[in-house]
Amino acid sequence: MENMNTLDKLTALVTNDLTLVNKVITKRVHNSINLIPQLSSYIINSGGKRLRPILTLAASKLCNYQGNRHINLAACIEFIHTATLLHDDVVDDSLLRRGLISANTIWGNKSSILVGDFMLSQSLELIVEDGNLQVLEILAHAFSVISEGEILHLSTSNDIYIDKNSYFKIIRSKTATLFAAACQIGAIISNCSNDEELALKNYGINLGIVFQLIDDALDYSAKQKQFGKTLGNDFYNGKITLPMILAFHRSNDKEQEFLFSILKDSGKFNKKTDLIQILHLMEKYKCLEDTIKSAHHYSDIARDALSIFQNSAIKSAMISIIDFCINRKF
Amino acid sequence: MENMNTLDKLTALVTNDLTLVNKVITKRVHNSINLIPQLSSYIINSGGKRLRPILTLAASKLCNYQGNRHINLAACIEFIHTATLLHDDVVDDSLLRRGLISANTIWGNKSSILVGDFMLSQSLELIVEDGNLQVLEILAHAFSVISEGEILHLSTSNDIYIDKNSYFKIIRSKTATLFAAACQIGAIISNCSNDEELALKNYGINLGIVFQLIDDALDYSAKQKQFGKTLGNDFYNGKITLPMILAFHRSNDKEQEFLFSILKDSGKFNKKTDLIQILHLMEKYKCLEDTIKSAHHYSDIARDALSIFQNSAIKSAMISIIDFCINRKF
């Protein structure tokens, strides 16, 4: 496995389970209303890494889980994730998703909203099938927090004065919470100790923060072409993320005035020249570097969280995906 | 109570409970992110009749329920309903809702999508608080069916060849299912007999069908001003409902050709003259009258469903709201 990338290592260890998860997903979106399987297959198979369901499978394996509840619950996690992607892309007017034309561009916003709701309903049906109230509680709460995070992010659009605390609150809510829930569920179904459950939850939340920090850095990075999104997508959507917060805080008065004046009405697509100036400021003030440094801080916490587990191939692969999240270019 | 309208009679019988339901809703949308309480209060207090939560309260009362679970569960039903309204208005590009400017017109589609998701999350949190898997099952399944119904409706947009069966499938799914679940939940928490549970479910589903048939008739009715929606909203959105299906099936070749030609690209706002011609056809072929006749058919089924319950003030009020749904002008 030495030559594999760090995600492939983990994927290889749960590959049989992941095949079963994919089967559950495919079965659940099979429907006589053609739009459902068409749009669902498109988004589900459009190069997603299945990171979140893989986390559920991995956490279960780490806890020596012997049953089969993890399959449906991993599928459930992927449905929640995909539903939020579909709604997000409508909210962000995204033209691209993972380098492909976004579902809302092909089928329209209406379809994306409703098929997103359908996916939420399928995640609920899977919780019903699982039949455990503790699992329901974690996933219901996760969905609440995600939803609040999305609204907070929307509410702070174009607000250059947003501080780092609010930013971290947003990414914890909208991204890291589902990573945490994905891991925690693996722990819960395995009946592992409270300490182990908490450890996996912490691993998940910090891994999620790393993931989002890198996502936000990549949005302003020249590596965007590999990433499959529009360069400066967050800027065009007026989404203020850490690189921009750092750029603003470190800018001189004149630069701050420039940033304020262009961000207060960003969201229009005629500002490539402004984006180029912003990229210069980010380079001048090492904003992407420091965003990545911040990701390293959280990656250490994620790694340390797993220390209570005995060494094993799965533990080592779970540590490797922290590096995958740090080093990813897409 | 003789002078009260038929909904007020039922509302009066559950008024204390309804006040508690409203308190639960208000508490749940209280949030430090201002957009959440602002948009939520606007849609929740914008003249909604609270028909669905009232059904949960009424069904509980009919079954002599003595606890307090019905309060949270009625609030849960209202959250699911309001979430679908918010998403619907985005899907339909609605400018008005209940005679007021729609939430998406004021706060934008993005806010409506995300606050809709937030409301779904709150309905889930209420199910968690209730802590009963049977209730979860019914509501999860209802949400699936509603979501499929919405997608089927969207998929059949502008399709004048849609038949009555498909139409009834759509309104059963997207409207009547939540009415049925609202009633069924009242039965379940009361531990009443299977026959009584089924009776309440049937009452709910048929009442829901009545409600939607009248809604669809009103959409083409001159009483629209009182109804608070744009006249011919369904036409402008390419939504084919029973009045249009009847008009098409009863038209001669030339009229069918006209309907086909204008519906295949409806959804543009420059066709008031076409709408007037459609209204003439509907009058000529008694399409609204026959839609209302069909509603009467289902209202009889709804009424008969309650026959297994002993006579009581609440039973009689539940029968009266069937008439309310038939006779409503808004």
Side-chain angles (χ1 to χ4, degrees):
Chain A
M1 302 214 292
E2 277 310 306
N3 294 325
M4 287 184 178
N5 87 32
T6 46
L7 179 62
D8 288 346
K9 263 189 211 171
L10 183 58
T11 309
L13 287 170
V14 297
T15 185
N16 292 340
D17 284 350
L18 193 56
T19 304
L20 295 173
V21 172
N22 286 333
K23 275 190 184 161
V24 171
I25 292 173
T26 306
K27 193 176 150 203
R28 287 255 152 212
V29 301
H30 180 82
N31 197 294
S32 60
I33 310 167
N34 291 334
L35 178 60
I36 294 176
Q38 279 168 6
L39 196 157
S40 304
S41 311
Y42 183 80
I43 180 130
I44 288 169
N45 299 321
S46 64
K49 297 172 285 297
R50 299 279 194 280
L51 192 48
R52 295 155 192 82
I54 286 175
L55 286 175
T56 301
L57 301 177
S60 311
K61 199 175 175 76
L62 184 69
C63 298
N64 293 311
Y65 177 65
Q66 298 300 324
N68 56 16
R69 289 171 63 194
H70 61 322
I71 305 297
N72 269 1
L73 292 174
C76 171
I77 293 279
E78 185 69 356
F79 273 125
I80 296 175
H81 171 57
T82 314
T84 61
L85 284 192
L86 283 171
H87 287 182
D88 261 11
D89 280 347
V90 176
V91 169
D92 293 349
D93 300 316
S94 304
L95 298 173
L96 295 176
R97 156 77 55 195
R98 297 169 186 152
L100 295 172
I101 297 168
S102 67
N104 50 312
T105 308
I106 300 177
W107 284 277
N109 285 345
K110 300 174 181 194
S111 302
S112 285
I113 296 170
L114 296 181
V115 176
D117 287 347
F118 175 80
M119 288 191 172
L120 285 177
S121 78
Q122 292 312 300
S123 72
L124 272 181
E125 297 269 28
L126 285 164
I127 297 173
V128 169
E129 248 185 59
D130 185 65
N132 180 285
L133 286 167
Q134 205 185 350
V135 166
L136 167 67
E137 188 173 345
I138 286 166
L139 291 175
H141 187 63
F143 184 55
S144 274
V145 173
I146 292 166
S147 150
E148 281 187 59
E150 298 276 5
I151 297 171
L152 183 58
H153 210 183
L154 182 66
S155 301
T156 55
S157 294
N158 304 322
D159 177 8
I160 189 67
Y161 295 109
I162 182 181
D163 60 13
K164 276 169 93 172
N165 281 347
S166 302
Y167 168 77
F168 277 101
K169 188 179 171 190
I170 290 167
I171 67 170
R172 264 176 196 273
S173 309
K174 80 183 190 89
T175 307
T177 296
L178 193 60
F179 278 73
C183 295
Q184 199 182 355
I185 278 181
I188 284 171
I189 58 174
S190 313
N191 290 317
C192 69
S193 72
N194 285 344
D195 284 350
E196 287 172 325
E197 182 188 328
L198 191 62
L200 276 165
K201 186 180 167 185
N202 281 332
Y203 164 79
I205 203 142
N206 286 288
L207 181 66
I209 292 172
V210 170
F211 184 89
Q212 191 59 53
L213 281 166
I214 298 299
D215 212 62
D216 292 343
L218 283 168
D219 196 66
Y220 290 104
S221 142
K223 298 165 192 158
Q224 274 297 310
K225 257 192 167 169
Q226 293 158 274
F227 191 49
K229 282 189 179 173
T230 319
L231 180 64
N233 213 21
D234 289 338
F235 161 65
Y236 289 120
N237 278 300
K239 280 195 175 174
I240 312 297
T241 59
L242 190 56
M244 186 71 88
I245 293 170
L246 296 178
F248 185 71
H249 285 181
R250 294 169 181 183
S251 283
N252 62 34
D253 286 0
K254 207 179 146 196
E255 289 160 348
Q256 285 201 342
E257 207 173 297
F258 159 73
L259 286 173
F260 178 78
S261 73
I262 56 160
L263 278 167
K264 72 177 180 349
D265 52 11
S266 70
K268 295 168 193 159
F269 278 72
N270 54 356
K271 306 203 157 191
K272 204 166 175 180
T273 50
D274 290 336
L275 179 62
I276 290 166
Q277 276 197 263
I278 289 171
L279 293 175
H280 283 148
L281 284 178
M282 287 182 178
E283 203 180 343
K284 177 177 172 188
Y285 293 116
K286 300 185 188 308
C287 303
L288 299 190
E289 275 169 77
D290 286 354
T291 299
I292 294 166
K293 256 190 205 161
S294 179
H296 276 281
H297 166 77
Y298 290 97
S299 79
D300 289 342
I301 304 178
R303 187 175 294 107
D304 290 341
L306 293 187
S307 63
I308 66 166
F309 292 96
Q310 285 192 331
N311 288 333
S312 64
I314 189 78
K315 176 176 164 180
S316 138
M318 285 176 82
I319 288 172
S320 310
I321 54 162
I322 307 173
D323 298 325
F324 166 78
C325 287
I326 287 269
N327 297 321
R328 74 198 177 94
K329 310 276 180 293
F330 56 93
Chain B
M1 302 217 291
E2 278 310 305
N3 294 325
M4 288 184 178
N5 87 32
T6 45
L7 178 62
D8 289 345
K9 262 190 211 171
L10 183 59
T11 308
L13 286 171
V14 297
T15 185
N16 292 340
D17 284 350
L18 193 56
T19 305
L20 294 174
V21 171
N22 287 333
K23 276 190 185 161
V24 170
I25 291 173
T26 306
K27 194 176 148 201
R28 287 253 152 215
V29 301
H30 180 82
N31 198 292
S32 60
I33 310 167
N34 291 333
L35 178 61
I36 294 176
Q38 280 169 5
L39 196 158
S40 305
S41 311
Y42 183 80
I43 181 130
I44 289 170
N45 299 320
S46 64
K49 298 172 284 297
R50 298 276 195 284
L51 192 48
R52 295 155 192 83
I54 286 174
L55 286 175
T56 302
L57 301 177
S60 311
K61 199 175 176 76
L62 185 70
C63 297
N64 293 313
Y65 176 65
Q66 297 300 323
N68 55 17
R69 289 172 62 193
H70 60 322
I71 305 297
N72 269 2
L73 292 174
C76 171
I77 293 279
E78 185 70 356
F79 273 124
I80 296 174
H81 171 56
T82 314
T84 61
L85 284 191
L86 282 171
H87 287 182
D88 260 13
D89 280 346
V90 176
V91 169
D92 292 350
D93 300 316
S94 304
L95 297 174
L96 294 176
R97 157 76 58 192
R98 297 168 186 152
L100 296 172
I101 297 168
S102 66
N104 50 313
T105 309
I106 301 176
W107 283 278
N109 285 345
K110 301 174 181 194
S111 302
S112 285
I113 296 170
L114 296 181
V115 176
D117 287 347
F118 175 80
M119 289 190 172
L120 286 176
S121 79
Q122 292 312 301
S123 71
L124 272 183
E125 297 269 26
L126 285 164
I127 297 172
V128 170
E129 248 186 57
D130 184 66
N132 180 287
L133 286 167
Q134 204 185 351
V135 165
L136 168 67
E137 187 172 346
I138 286 165
L139 292 175
H141 187 64
F143 184 56
S144 275
V145 172
I146 291 167
S147 150
E148 280 187 59
E150 297 277 5
I151 297 171
L152 183 59
H153 210 183
L154 181 66
S155 302
T156 55
S157 293
N158 304 321
D159 177 9
I160 190 67
Y161 295 110
I162 182 182
D163 61 13
K164 275 169 95 172
N165 281 347
S166 302
Y167 167 78
F168 277 101
K169 187 179 171 190
I170 290 168
I171 68 169
R172 265 176 194 273
S173 308
K174 79 184 189 90
T175 306
T177 295
L178 194 59
F179 278 73
C183 294
Q184 199 182 354
I185 277 183
I188 283 171
I189 58 173
S190 314
N191 291 317
C192 69
S193 72
N194 285 345
D195 283 350
E196 287 171 325
E197 181 187 328
L198 191 63
L200 276 165
K201 186 180 168 184
N202 281 332
Y203 164 79
I205 204 142
N206 287 288
L207 182 65
I209 292 172
V210 170
F211 184 89
Q212 190 59 51
L213 281 166
I214 298 299
D215 212 62
D216 292 344
L218 283 168
D219 195 66
Y220 290 103
S221 142
K223 298 165 193 159
Q224 274 297 310
K225 258 192 168 170
Q226 294 157 273
F227 190 49
K229 282 188 182 174
T230 320
L231 180 65
N233 213 22
D234 288 340
F235 161 65
Y236 289 120
N237 278 300
K239 280 194 174 175
I240 312 297
T241 60
L242 190 57
M244 186 71 86
I245 294 170
L246 296 178
F248 185 72
H249 286 181
R250 293 168 182 184
S251 284
N252 61 36
D253 286 357
K254 205 179 147 197
E255 290 160 344
Q256 285 201 341
E257 207 173 299
F258 159 72
L259 285 173
F260 177 77
S261 73
I262 56 160
L263 278 167
K264 73 176 179 349
D265 52 10
S266 71
K268 294 170 193 157
F269 278 72
N270 55 357
K271 306 203 155 191
K272 203 166 175 180
T273 50
D274 290 336
L275 178 62
I276 290 166
Q277 276 196 264
I278 290 171
L279 293 175
H280 282 148
L281 284 178
M282 287 183 178
E283 202 179 344
K284 177 177 173 189
Y285 292 116
K286 300 186 190 307
C287 302
L288 299 191
E289 274 170 77
D290 285 353
T291 299
I292 293 165
K293 254 189 207 162
S294 179
H296 277 281
H297 167 76
Y298 290 97
S299 80
D300 290 342
I301 305 177
R303 187 175 295 106
D304 290 341
L306 293 186
S307 62
I308 66 165
F309 293 96
Q310 284 193 329
N311 288 333
S312 65
I314 189 78
K315 176 176 165 180
S316 137
M318 285 176 81
I319 289 172
S320 308
I321 55 163
I322 307 172
D323 298 325
F324 165 79
C325 288
I326 288 268
N327 297 321
R328 73 197 176 95
K329 310 275 179 294
F330 57 93

